[in-house]
Structures are given as structure tokens and as C-alpha cells.
Amino acid sequence: MEDRDSDRLIPVPTEYFFHRTVKMFSDQHVNLIVDQILHNKETLEDYKKTLKNCPILLVGVHCSIKELERREIQRGDRHSGLALSQLDFVHNQQEQYDVEVDTCVDSIESCIKK
């Protein structure tokens, strides 16, 4: 959730509404695949509080820093260093993943099967 015109992350209130939207779908028994980086304490706490009673399969997606930087450049829609700046928090909160994949080691097919 980025304001790409201003090259900044949208404030947490947007994530607040995002989590409630995911909950709304879950409450209606609609399965979603949600791609979100829980990148700071506020986002993680709101995610846990809002979705605590929802059936969630949490997937930890890993790759090397070098690959993160390569993908960031290849995408061309993010400012340089964004992924690296999030690594101080991401995967460092004693997360309990249901599934973990390493996209540098595992093929796309292997990740899907997991």
C-alpha cells in the first residue's frame, strides 16, 4: 500500500481498513489469498487483533537480500531500499508460519505445492 506518486507508504489507517475488509470476506466464508508484508509493530498488532478468529494459513516467503534487491529494481515501481528497510521487522517477530518457502531455492511449482 504505497502512494507511488509521492514515493511513500500510506499510513497505517489504510491497513486498518484493509484488515477489516479481509475479515469481512472471511466472515462470509470467502477464501482469499492476501499478499501483505507485516512490516511494523502497528500493522502486526492490528492484523492479529482483527483477524484473530479467522481461519488463516500464514505463509513465510523468504529469499536472499541480493534477490530482494534484484526484484525491486526489476519491478521498477518501488524506491530502492524499501525491501531491505523492512527486513529489520519482517521475519523477526517469532512468527509461527504454517508454511515456509524460499523463492531462491524452491521453484514456483514447489512453492505452490507447499
Side-chain angles (χ1 to χ4, degrees):
M1 288 183 275
E2 300 168 53
D3 177 354
R4 293 184 178 158
D5 294 331
S6 300
D7 194 32
R8 66 179 180 85
L9 290 175
I10 296 172
V12 171
T14 301
E15 292 171 345
Y16 171 93
F17 293 120
F18 177 70
H19 294 146
R20 277 138 193 88
T21 301
V22 171
K23 183 177 182 338
M24 177 188 67
F25 280 96
S26 181
D27 288 346
Q28 295 302 311
H29 308 286
V30 176
N31 295 324
L32 299 175
I33 296 174
V34 177
D35 180 1
Q36 181 184 18
I37 297 172
L38 300 168
H39 59 87
N40 62 28
K41 182 180 174 186
E42 295 79 17
T43 302
L44 180 62
E45 287 176 1
D46 188 66
Y47 155 82
K48 286 180 176 180
K49 181 179 108 183
T50 305
L51 301 172
K52 69 181 174 188
N53 294 317
C54 298
I56 294 177
L57 179 78
L58 194 58
V59 179
V61 180
H62 306 276
C63 72
S64 69
I65 291 173
K66 187 174 183 176
E67 181 61 12
L68 272 178
E69 291 171 337
R70 187 194 69 76
R71 291 176 187 178
E72 196 171 68
I73 291 167
Q74 184 182 27
R75 285 183 181 127
D77 63 352
R78 301 187 180 158
H79 69 273
S80 180
L82 177 63
L84 189 58
S85 71
Q86 294 172 338
L87 280 182
D88 286 339
F89 192 85
V90 174
H91 303 303
N92 290 305
Q93 305 309 307
Q94 300 176 342
E95 294 91 335
Q96 298 291 316
Y97 295 116
D98 297 292
V99 177
E100 294 192 58
V101 296
D102 185 328
T103 60
C104 285
V105 176
D106 302 321
S107 67
I108 292 172
E109 294 79 14
S110 175
C111 291
I112 292 168
K113 285 179 184 177
K114 288 182 177 183

